[in-house]
């Protein structure tokens, strides 16, 4: 048993970051941009690659406006046309794949048709797997120029091994999302200690990490950066917008949108191996406004960190405030 599991477990609400002396006159001077692969994006935030969060139209808008995205893998027959469409528009293509046998045929088809996405994410609930490693090798052999993200994982051993096997980035988080019930159904996962899992994984990572799940407030993005994330994947907070794929539902005069997990009965079309649920999230208007607010809050975080860019956040001290009431919960 690795000794890092003797370290104290904590999550986002258990941590507050400690300010440093400010060096910028206006928070607008703070640079929130992040390099991921060979591209630079406005903020270190990516919508979850879930069918209730992103679709073709939103992917186009995100790419046009210098945001990173990952298209989901739940309409596999449309992926080649999606890549072609993005390239015809002069935009980068970022797709998801699984590990079924048919996915190897899909990779072969990409090569045969010379349709090569810039980013590929191997999207598996339990990413530390011999079959995931097999897929890493296949993609790296057939599409060596693609930036390959692999997930999801929970341990430093998984990060180290997947990096060594060829992953360009790893995605950390098993079951901390609002629509995920993995910890309830299986007893496994990072629900309740996602931020500590990210910290542990960052100790061994030599390549970028994506923190996936458990984000409830904009300040959690800064906390993810502090504990080692290069990019932060967000589901429920980016699911309720005008551009989001879910249906609009009105209840007692209030407007909501549907949101469901990738391992939910809704997604699977049947109740088998269900580790996700469907829920309603408040309607939030345009996603542009939410992403702008995330950028502004990150600029404030950089100011409090005493720097000019995201690197400053990585260096701040923190305190564990477990069992106290956060200001927003009073």
């Amino acid at each position: 048993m690795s000794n890092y599991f003797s370290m104290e477990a904590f999550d986002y609400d258990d941590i507050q970051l400690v300010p440093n002396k400010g060096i910028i006159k206006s928070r607008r001077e703070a640079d929130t941009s992040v390099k991921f692969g060979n591209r630079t994006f406005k903020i270190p935030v990516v919508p979850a690659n879930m069918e209730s969060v992103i679709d073709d139209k939103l992917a186009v808008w995100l790419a046009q406006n210098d945001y990173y995205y990952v298209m989901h893998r739940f309409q596999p027959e449309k992926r080649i046309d999606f890549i072609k469409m993005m390239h015809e528009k002069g935009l980068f293509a970022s797709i998801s794949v699984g590990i079924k046998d048919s996915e190897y045929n899909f990779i072969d088809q990409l090569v045969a048709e010379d349709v090569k996405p810039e980013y590929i994410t191997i999207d598996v609930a339990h990413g530390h797997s011999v079959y995931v490693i097999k897929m890493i090798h296949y993609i790296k052999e057939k599409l060596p120029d693609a930036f390959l993200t692999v997930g999801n994982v929970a341990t430093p051993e998984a990060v180290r091994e997947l990096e060594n096997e060829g992953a360009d980035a790893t995605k950390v988080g098993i079951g901390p999302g609002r629509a995920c019930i993995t910890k309830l159904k299986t007893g496994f996962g990072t629900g309740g200690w996602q931020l500590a899992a990210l910290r542990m994984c960052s100790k061994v990572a030599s390549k970028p990490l994506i923190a996936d799940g458990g984000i409830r407030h904009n300040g959690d993005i800064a906390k993810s950066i502090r504990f080692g994330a290069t990019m932060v994947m967000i589901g429920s907070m980016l699911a309720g917008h005008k551009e989001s794929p879910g249906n609009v539902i009105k209840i007692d005069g209030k407007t909501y949108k549907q949101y469901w997990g990738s391992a939910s009965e809704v997604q699977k079309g049947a109740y088998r191996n269900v580790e996700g649920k469907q829920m309603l999230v408040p309607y939030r208007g345009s996603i542009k406004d939410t992403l702008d607010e995330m950028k502004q809050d990150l600029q404030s975080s950089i100011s409090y960190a005493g720097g000019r860019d995201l690197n400053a956040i990585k260096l701040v001290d923190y305190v564990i405030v477990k069992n106290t009431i956060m200001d927003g919960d009073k």
Side-chain angles (χ1 to χ4, degrees), residues 27-47:
R27 290 167 180 165
R28 289 191 297 271
E29 299 174 24
D31 179 9
T32 63
S33 66
V34 61
K35 186 174 182 182
F36 193 70
N38 61 1
R39 285 172 170 74
T40 298
F41 301 100
K42 282 183 180 176
I43 56 175
V45 169
V46 54

PDB file of all heavy atoms in Angstrom, residues 27-47:
ATOM      1  N   ARG A  27      -6.980  43.955 -12.036  1.00  0.00           N
ATOM      2  CA  ARG A  27      -7.114  42.525 -12.293  1.00  0.00           C
ATOM      3  C   ARG A  27      -7.231  42.219 -13.772  1.00  0.00           C
ATOM      4  O   ARG A  27      -6.961  41.099 -14.207  1.00  0.00           O
ATOM      5  CB  ARG A  27      -8.328  41.986 -11.523  1.00  0.00           C
ATOM      6  CG  ARG A  27      -8.073  41.961 -10.030  1.00  0.00           C
ATOM      7  CD  ARG A  27      -9.324  41.741  -9.223  1.00  0.00           C
ATOM      8  NE  ARG A  27      -8.989  41.735  -7.787  1.00  0.00           N
ATOM      9  CZ  ARG A  27      -9.875  41.847  -6.821  1.00  0.00           C
ATOM     10  NH1 ARG A  27     -11.146  41.998  -7.109  1.00  0.00           N
ATOM     11  NH2 ARG A  27      -9.499  41.825  -5.563  1.00  0.00           N
ATOM     12  N   ARG A  28      -7.656  43.194 -14.559  1.00  0.00           N
ATOM     13  CA  ARG A  28      -7.759  42.992 -16.002  1.00  0.00           C
ATOM     14  C   ARG A  28      -6.391  42.731 -16.639  1.00  0.00           C
ATOM     15  O   ARG A  28      -6.304  42.222 -17.756  1.00  0.00           O
ATOM     16  CB  ARG A  28      -8.430  44.191 -16.663  1.00  0.00           C
ATOM     17  CG  ARG A  28      -9.916  44.318 -16.363  1.00  0.00           C
ATOM     18  CD  ARG A  28     -10.571  45.352 -17.245  1.00  0.00           C
ATOM     19  NE  ARG A  28     -10.032  46.692 -17.003  1.00  0.00           N
ATOM     20  CZ  ARG A  28     -10.521  47.532 -16.100  1.00  0.00           C
ATOM     21  NH1 ARG A  28     -11.548  47.166 -15.336  1.00  0.00           N
ATOM     22  NH2 ARG A  28      -9.998  48.735 -15.938  1.00  0.00           N
ATOM     23  N   GLU A  29      -5.325  43.073 -15.927  1.00  0.00           N
ATOM     24  CA  GLU A  29      -3.972  42.826 -16.437  1.00  0.00           C
ATOM     25  C   GLU A  29      -3.572  41.351 -16.324  1.00  0.00           C
ATOM     26  O   GLU A  29      -2.609  40.921 -16.952  1.00  0.00           O
ATOM     27  CB  GLU A  29      -2.959  43.671 -15.672  1.00  0.00           C
ATOM     28  CG  GLU A  29      -3.153  45.168 -15.779  1.00  0.00           C
ATOM     29  CD  GLU A  29      -2.196  45.928 -14.874  1.00  0.00           C
ATOM     30  OE1 GLU A  29      -1.131  45.366 -14.536  1.00  0.00           O
ATOM     31  OE2 GLU A  29      -2.521  47.067 -14.487  1.00  0.00           O
ATOM     32  N   ALA A  30      -4.275  40.590 -15.517  1.00  0.00           N
ATOM     33  CA  ALA A  30      -3.904  39.196 -15.279  1.00  0.00           C
ATOM     34  C   ALA A  30      -4.177  38.337 -16.511  1.00  0.00           C
ATOM     35  O   ALA A  30      -5.223  38.453 -17.156  1.00  0.00           O
ATOM     36  CB  ALA A  30      -4.672  38.653 -14.070  1.00  0.00           C
ATOM     37  N   ASP A  31      -3.237  37.474 -16.825  1.00  0.00           N
ATOM     38  CA  ASP A  31      -3.309  36.616 -18.004  1.00  0.00           C
ATOM     39  C   ASP A  31      -3.786  35.222 -17.604  1.00  0.00           C
ATOM     40  O   ASP A  31      -3.094  34.505 -16.878  1.00  0.00           O
ATOM     41  CB  ASP A  31      -1.921  36.540 -18.652  1.00  0.00           C
ATOM     42  CG  ASP A  31      -1.889  35.648 -19.887  1.00  0.00           C
ATOM     43  OD1 ASP A  31      -2.967  35.216 -20.339  1.00  0.00           O
ATOM     44  OD2 ASP A  31      -0.779  35.380 -20.385  1.00  0.00           O
ATOM     45  N   THR A  32      -4.963  34.838 -18.068  1.00  0.00           N
ATOM     46  CA  THR A  32      -5.535  33.533 -17.719  1.00  0.00           C
ATOM     47  C   THR A  32      -5.283  32.471 -18.782  1.00  0.00           C
ATOM     48  O   THR A  32      -5.793  31.359 -18.676  1.00  0.00           O
ATOM     49  CB  THR A  32      -7.056  33.652 -17.514  1.00  0.00           C
ATOM     50  OG1 THR A  32      -7.661  34.067 -18.758  1.00  0.00           O
ATOM     51  CG2 THR A  32      -7.390  34.654 -16.422  1.00  0.00           C
ATOM     52  N   SER A  33      -4.520  32.785 -19.809  1.00  0.00           N
ATOM     53  CA  SER A  33      -4.342  31.847 -20.921  1.00  0.00           C
ATOM     54  C   SER A  33      -3.518  30.634 -20.498  1.00  0.00           C
ATOM     55  O   SER A  33      -2.718  30.697 -19.563  1.00  0.00           O
ATOM     56  CB  SER A  33      -3.678  32.540 -22.102  1.00  0.00           C
ATOM     57  OG  SER A  33      -2.351  32.927 -21.785  1.00  0.00           O
ATOM     58  N   VAL A  34      -3.733  29.536 -21.207  1.00  0.00           N
ATOM     59  CA  VAL A  34      -3.044  28.293 -20.888  1.00  0.00           C
ATOM     60  C   VAL A  34      -2.692  27.573 -22.188  1.00  0.00           C
ATOM     61  O   VAL A  34      -3.485  27.537 -23.127  1.00  0.00           O
ATOM     62  CB  VAL A  34      -3.913  27.390 -19.984  1.00  0.00           C
ATOM     63  CG1 VAL A  34      -5.224  27.015 -20.671  1.00  0.00           C
ATOM     64  CG2 VAL A  34      -3.165  26.142 -19.573  1.00  0.00           C
ATOM     65  N   LYS A  35      -1.494  27.005 -22.234  1.00  0.00           N
ATOM     66  CA  LYS A  35      -1.101  26.204 -23.391  1.00  0.00           C
ATOM     67  C   LYS A  35      -1.438  24.752 -23.112  1.00  0.00           C
ATOM     68  O   LYS A  35      -1.091  24.203 -22.060  1.00  0.00           O
ATOM     69  CB  LYS A  35       0.390  26.354 -23.683  1.00  0.00           C
ATOM     70  CG  LYS A  35       0.806  25.654 -24.974  1.00  0.00           C
ATOM     71  CD  LYS A  35       2.261  25.920 -25.342  1.00  0.00           C
ATOM     72  CE  LYS A  35       2.599  25.241 -26.677  1.00  0.00           C
ATOM     73  NZ  LYS A  35       4.015  25.430 -27.050  1.00  0.00           N
ATOM     74  N   PHE A  36      -2.121  24.144 -24.066  1.00  0.00           N
ATOM     75  CA  PHE A  36      -2.480  22.726 -23.949  1.00  0.00           C
ATOM     76  C   PHE A  36      -2.265  22.101 -25.320  1.00  0.00           C
ATOM     77  O   PHE A  36      -2.919  22.475 -26.287  1.00  0.00           O
ATOM     78  CB  PHE A  36      -3.930  22.583 -23.493  1.00  0.00           C
ATOM     79  CG  PHE A  36      -4.293  21.189 -23.061  1.00  0.00           C
ATOM     80  CD1 PHE A  36      -3.776  20.656 -21.890  1.00  0.00           C
ATOM     81  CD2 PHE A  36      -5.159  20.415 -23.822  1.00  0.00           C
ATOM     82  CE1 PHE A  36      -4.100  19.374 -21.487  1.00  0.00           C
ATOM     83  CE2 PHE A  36      -5.499  19.132 -23.426  1.00  0.00           C
ATOM     84  CZ  PHE A  36      -4.968  18.609 -22.256  1.00  0.00           C
ATOM     85  N   GLY A  37      -1.342  21.156 -25.398  1.00  0.00           N
ATOM     86  CA  GLY A  37      -0.906  20.707 -26.704  1.00  0.00           C
ATOM     87  C   GLY A  37      -0.099  21.818 -27.345  1.00  0.00           C
ATOM     88  O   GLY A  37       0.691  22.487 -26.678  1.00  0.00           O
ATOM     89  N   ASN A  38      -0.323  22.045 -28.632  1.00  0.00           N
ATOM     90  CA  ASN A  38       0.416  23.121 -29.293  1.00  0.00           C
ATOM     91  C   ASN A  38      -0.451  24.350 -29.531  1.00  0.00           C
ATOM     92  O   ASN A  38      -0.146  25.181 -30.373  1.00  0.00           O
ATOM     93  CB  ASN A  38       1.010  22.622 -30.624  1.00  0.00           C
ATOM     94  CG  ASN A  38      -0.059  22.158 -31.614  1.00  0.00           C
ATOM     95  OD1 ASN A  38      -1.253  22.225 -31.331  1.00  0.00           O
ATOM     96  ND2 ASN A  38       0.370  21.685 -32.767  1.00  0.00           N
ATOM     97  N   ARG A  39      -1.539  24.459 -28.755  1.00  0.00           N
ATOM     98  CA  ARG A  39      -2.418  25.609 -28.859  1.00  0.00           C
ATOM     99  C   ARG A  39      -2.558  26.297 -27.513  1.00  0.00           C
ATOM    100  O   ARG A  39      -2.397  25.681 -26.458  1.00  0.00           O
ATOM    101  CB  ARG A  39      -3.807  25.191 -29.370  1.00  0.00           C
ATOM    102  CG  ARG A  39      -3.822  24.893 -30.859  1.00  0.00           C
ATOM    103  CD  ARG A  39      -5.150  24.288 -31.302  1.00  0.00           C
ATOM    104  NE  ARG A  39      -5.204  24.233 -32.760  1.00  0.00           N
ATOM    105  CZ  ARG A  39      -4.534  23.367 -33.502  1.00  0.00           C
ATOM    106  NH1 ARG A  39      -3.772  22.454 -32.911  1.00  0.00           N
ATOM    107  NH2 ARG A  39      -4.614  23.392 -34.815  1.00  0.00           N
ATOM    108  N   THR A  40      -2.886  27.590 -27.571  1.00  0.00           N
ATOM    109  CA  THR A  40      -3.106  28.367 -26.357  1.00  0.00           C
ATOM    110  C   THR A  40      -4.573  28.775 -26.294  1.00  0.00           C
ATOM    111  O   THR A  40      -5.142  29.255 -27.285  1.00  0.00           O
ATOM    112  CB  THR A  40      -2.208  29.615 -26.348  1.00  0.00           C
ATOM    113  OG1 THR A  40      -0.836  29.189 -26.367  1.00  0.00           O
ATOM    114  CG2 THR A  40      -2.448  30.449 -25.096  1.00  0.00           C
ATOM    115  N   PHE A  41      -5.173  28.589 -25.122  1.00  0.00           N
ATOM    116  CA  PHE A  41      -6.592  28.854 -24.926  1.00  0.00           C
ATOM    117  C   PHE A  41      -6.801  29.957 -23.891  1.00  0.00           C
ATOM    118  O   PHE A  41      -5.934  30.205 -23.054  1.00  0.00           O
ATOM    119  CB  PHE A  41      -7.303  27.569 -24.507  1.00  0.00           C
ATOM    120  CG  PHE A  41      -7.162  26.466 -25.526  1.00  0.00           C
ATOM    121  CD1 PHE A  41      -6.219  25.456 -25.346  1.00  0.00           C
ATOM    122  CD2 PHE A  41      -7.929  26.456 -26.677  1.00  0.00           C
ATOM    123  CE1 PHE A  41      -6.062  24.451 -26.290  1.00  0.00           C
ATOM    124  CE2 PHE A  41      -7.782  25.454 -27.634  1.00  0.00           C
ATOM    125  CZ  PHE A  41      -6.847  24.448 -27.440  1.00  0.00           C
ATOM    126  N   LYS A  42      -7.978  30.596 -23.946  1.00  0.00           N
ATOM    127  CA  LYS A  42      -8.255  31.761 -23.109  1.00  0.00           C
ATOM    128  C   LYS A  42      -8.208  31.445 -21.621  1.00  0.00           C
ATOM    129  O   LYS A  42      -7.693  32.230 -20.821  1.00  0.00           O
ATOM    130  CB  LYS A  42      -9.644  32.332 -23.443  1.00  0.00           C
ATOM    131  CG  LYS A  42      -9.705  33.147 -24.702  1.00  0.00           C
ATOM    132  CD  LYS A  42     -11.106  33.711 -24.884  1.00  0.00           C
ATOM    133  CE  LYS A  42     -11.193  34.547 -26.150  1.00  0.00           C
ATOM    134  NZ  LYS A  42     -12.582  35.026 -26.381  1.00  0.00           N
ATOM    135  N   ILE A  43      -8.790  30.321 -21.244  1.00  0.00           N
ATOM    136  CA  ILE A  43      -8.855  29.945 -19.835  1.00  0.00           C
ATOM    137  C   ILE A  43      -8.636  28.439 -19.717  1.00  0.00           C
ATOM    138  O   ILE A  43      -8.859  27.697 -20.677  1.00  0.00           O
ATOM    139  CB  ILE A  43     -10.207  30.332 -19.177  1.00  0.00           C
ATOM    140  CG1 ILE A  43     -11.388  29.722 -19.954  1.00  0.00           C
ATOM    141  CG2 ILE A  43     -10.347  31.849 -19.074  1.00  0.00           C
ATOM    142  CD1 ILE A  43     -12.737  29.966 -19.298  1.00  0.00           C
ATOM    143  N   PRO A  44      -8.217  27.972 -18.541  1.00  0.00           N
ATOM    144  CA  PRO A  44      -7.946  26.547 -18.350  1.00  0.00           C
ATOM    145  C   PRO A  44      -9.213  25.755 -18.028  1.00  0.00           C
ATOM    146  O   PRO A  44      -9.261  24.978 -17.070  1.00  0.00           O
ATOM    147  CB  PRO A  44      -6.971  26.546 -17.173  1.00  0.00           C
ATOM    148  CG  PRO A  44      -7.409  27.713 -16.354  1.00  0.00           C
ATOM    149  CD  PRO A  44      -7.829  28.761 -17.346  1.00  0.00           C
ATOM    150  N   VAL A  45     -10.244  25.958 -18.823  1.00  0.00           N
ATOM    151  CA  VAL A  45     -11.547  25.328 -18.580  1.00  0.00           C
ATOM    152  C   VAL A  45     -12.012  24.640 -19.852  1.00  0.00           C
ATOM    153  O   VAL A  45     -11.916  25.207 -20.942  1.00  0.00           O
ATOM    154  CB  VAL A  45     -12.589  26.378 -18.146  1.00  0.00           C
ATOM    155  CG1 VAL A  45     -14.005  25.792 -18.163  1.00  0.00           C
ATOM    156  CG2 VAL A  45     -12.261  26.916 -16.761  1.00  0.00           C
ATOM    157  N   VAL A  46     -12.525  23.421 -19.715  1.00  0.00           N
ATOM    158  CA  VAL A  46     -13.078  22.685 -20.838  1.00  0.00           C
ATOM    159  C   VAL A  46     -14.411  22.068 -20.415  1.00  0.00           C
ATOM    160  O   VAL A  46     -14.501  21.437 -19.353  1.00  0.00           O
ATOM    161  CB  VAL A  46     -12.098  21.593 -21.341  1.00  0.00           C
ATOM    162  CG1 VAL A  46     -11.669  20.658 -20.218  1.00  0.00           C
ATOM    163  CG2 VAL A  46     -12.709  20.811 -22.498  1.00  0.00           C
ATOM    164  N   PRO A  47     -15.476  22.278 -21.206  1.00  0.00           N
ATOM    165  CA  PRO A  47     -16.747  21.621 -20.893  1.00  0.00           C
ATOM    166  C   PRO A  47     -16.596  20.103 -20.937  1.00  0.00           C
ATOM    167  O   PRO A  47     -15.853  19.566 -21.766  1.00  0.00           O
ATOM    168  CB  PRO A  47     -17.683  22.116 -22.005  1.00  0.00           C
ATOM    169  CG  PRO A  47     -17.074  23.398 -22.471  1.00  0.00           C
ATOM    170  CD  PRO A  47     -15.589  23.188 -22.360  1.00  0.00           C
TER     171      PRO A  47
END
